[in-house]
């Protein structure tokens, strides 16, 4: 058995200036990994640029979608694409340099004995830079809200710098995930934990995007606040954790700080 095959899903909507440096920075960290750009027909031509880059980079793939349908839909399409092609590890990260590719190696290391790895701003060693107080409160408060209502021990539930073992994506019943935006991130982690998968957090430093503007909105925050309640009372995967646990054995503790933290429901 060699190294696991990894694919990094990079959703883009108007990321023309970030795309090429981002692809180069990922390759610099993980020369063997492949990248899938999922573009929602960006008016600024990001998808066209991705195609151009792919003609001279065989590890770069491009999935075009007809129009902007939100981050959650883009990820679902990317995951289906990756599962069809039998990748072992499926990663997601933003294309705007908020998620620094230098964290990729520690995320992949943690994936050796975890089913889901979360790049986390809120474990020791993790942080946000250049954020005002209001944004900090919304993000911290959002994770605290979701974690309390869902009864989870995960510190950073809304982040989108993650790695899934393929078995997790096969088990979570992707077509029934309705959330987009931040709720999408919460829902996938919640479902994985309900199914008894092992979720760990590794510290990341989250920076502001390099260029361009955010596509997130107030509506996306409101969706997350509502959907958390729907998740809590949904029958999805109830009881599955207990059934899975014995087959996977006890959780192995990660290294001392900073390192992966087991966070099971
Ligand atoms: N394909 C696709 N990508 C999106 C969409 N919305 C946001 N993105 C991408 O998702 C990532 C995170 O979005 P961003 O606007 O930076 O959100 P923020 O970091 O929460 O402000 C970036 O790479 C965006 O280009 C969408 O509707 N479709
Ligand atoms: Mg961003």
């Amino acid at each position: 058995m060699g190294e696991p095959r990894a694919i990094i899903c990079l959703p883009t909507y108007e990321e023309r200036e970030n795309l090429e440096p981002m692809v180069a920075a990922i390759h610099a960290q993980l020369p063997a990994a492949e990248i899938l750009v999922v573009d929602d027909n960006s008016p600024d031509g990001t998808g066209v640029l991705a195609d151009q880059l792919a003609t001279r980079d065989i590890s770069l793939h491009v999935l075009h979608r007809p129009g902007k349908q939100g981050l959650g839909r883009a990820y679902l399409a990317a995951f289906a694409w990756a599962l069809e092609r039998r990748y072992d590890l499926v990663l997601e990260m933003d294309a705007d340099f908020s998620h620094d590719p230098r964290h990729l190696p520690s995320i992949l290391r943690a994936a050796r004995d975890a089913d889901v790895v979360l790049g986390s701003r809120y474990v020791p060693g993790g942080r946000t830079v250049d954020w005002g107080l209001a944004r900090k409160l919304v993000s911290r408060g959002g994770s605290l809200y979701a974690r309390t209502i869902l009864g989870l021990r995960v510190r950073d539930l809304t982040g989108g710098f993650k790695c899934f073992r393929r078995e997790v994506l096969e088990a979570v019943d992707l077509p029934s995930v309705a959330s987009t935006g931040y709720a999408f991130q919460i829902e996938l982690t919640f479902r994985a934990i309900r199914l008894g998968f092992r979720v760990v957090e590794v510290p990341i430093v989250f920076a502001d995007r390099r260029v361009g503007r955010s596509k997130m909105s107030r509506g996306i925050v409101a969706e997350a606040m509502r959907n958390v309640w729907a998740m809590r009372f949904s029958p999805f995967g109830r009881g599955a954790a207990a059934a899975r646990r014995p087959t996977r054995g006890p959780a192995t503790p990660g290294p001392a700080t900073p390192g992966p933290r087991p966070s099971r429901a």
Side-chain angles (χ1 to χ4, degrees):
M1 234 178 68
E3 282 290 295
R5 282 175 72 226
I7 182 104
I8 297 163
C9 304
L10 215 52
T12 57
Y13 193 76
E14 303 210 303
E15 302 289 358
R16 202 186 152 76
E17 284 166 277
N18 289 316
L19 184 64
E20 191 169 2
M22 191 68 195
V23 167
I26 293 170
H27 283 329
Q29 292 295 334
L30 300 179
E34 296 181 43
I35 301 171
L36 173 65
V37 173
V38 195
D39 186 70
D40 279 8
N41 201 9
S42 295
D44 72 349
T46 304
V48 180
L49 173 63
D51 283 336
Q52 285 167 3
L53 297 175
T55 59
R56 49 188 160 86
D57 177 352
I58 54 160
S59 62
L60 183 63
H61 311 275
V62 190
L63 187 58
H64 295 280
R65 317 219 333 122
K68 183 159 169 36
Q69 289 177 28
L71 195 50
R73 298 297 104 187
Y75 272 130
L76 291 181
F79 294 164
W81 188 99
L83 291 178
E84 265 169 40
R85 288 160 184 80
R86 310 295 306 167
Y87 288 92
D88 303 304
L89 298 175
V90 182
L91 291 89
E92 43 161 85
M93 68 190 292
D94 294 353
D96 60 359
F97 281 95
S98 282
H99 295 152
D100 190 331
R102 80 185 157 89
H103 296 304
L104 285 166
S106 64
I107 289 176
L108 282 194
R109 265 196 306 281
R112 286 184 197 150
D113 53 13
D115 300 307
V116 180
V117 182
L118 309 177
S120 178
R121 295 161 287 192
Y122 306 131
V123 293
R127 66 196 165 91
T128 56
V129 288
D130 304 327
W131 276 20
L133 185 63
R135 197 161 169 210
K136 276 189 184 159
L137 285 176
V138 169
S139 177
R140 282 253 186 195
S143 269
L144 181 65
Y145 174 88
R147 150 191 160 92
T148 307
I149 290 167
L150 297 174
L152 305 179
R153 275 183 277 165
V154 173
R155 293 276 152 191
D156 191 343
L157 274 167
T158 55
F161 198 177
K162 299 168 120 163
C163 175
F164 299 93
R165 206 179 273 284
R166 63 171 292 114
E167 291 81 359
V168 178
L169 296 180
E170 283 167 344
V172 295
D173 188 26
L174 292 171
S176 69
V177 177
S179 313
T180 68
Y182 301 121
F184 178 82
Q185 306 298 356
I186 301 170
E187 185 162 358
L188 279 192
T189 299
F190 174 66
R191 286 187 180 209
I193 291 171
R194 268 226 177 148
L195 291 170
F197 287 108
R198 187 180 145 77
V199 178
V200 302
E201 297 183 273
V202 300
I204 60 158
V205 177
F206 185 102
D208 257 338
R209 62 161 50 244
R210 276 202 191 162
V211 282
R213 55 172 190 84
S214 171
K215 288 104 212 167
M216 291 301 171
S217 61
R218 250 171 233 213
I220 281 168
V221 176
E223 180 209 28
M225 294 185 71
R226 271 195 317 273
N227 285 19
V228 164
W229 286 101
M231 285 175 224
R232 171 175 175 158
F233 293 109
S234 110
F236 181 85
R238 241 185 213 143
R244 188 180 299 274
R245 233 166 240 150
T247 66
R248 293 202 57 89
T252 36
T257 46
R261 295 175 135 206
S263 18
R264 272 204 205 219

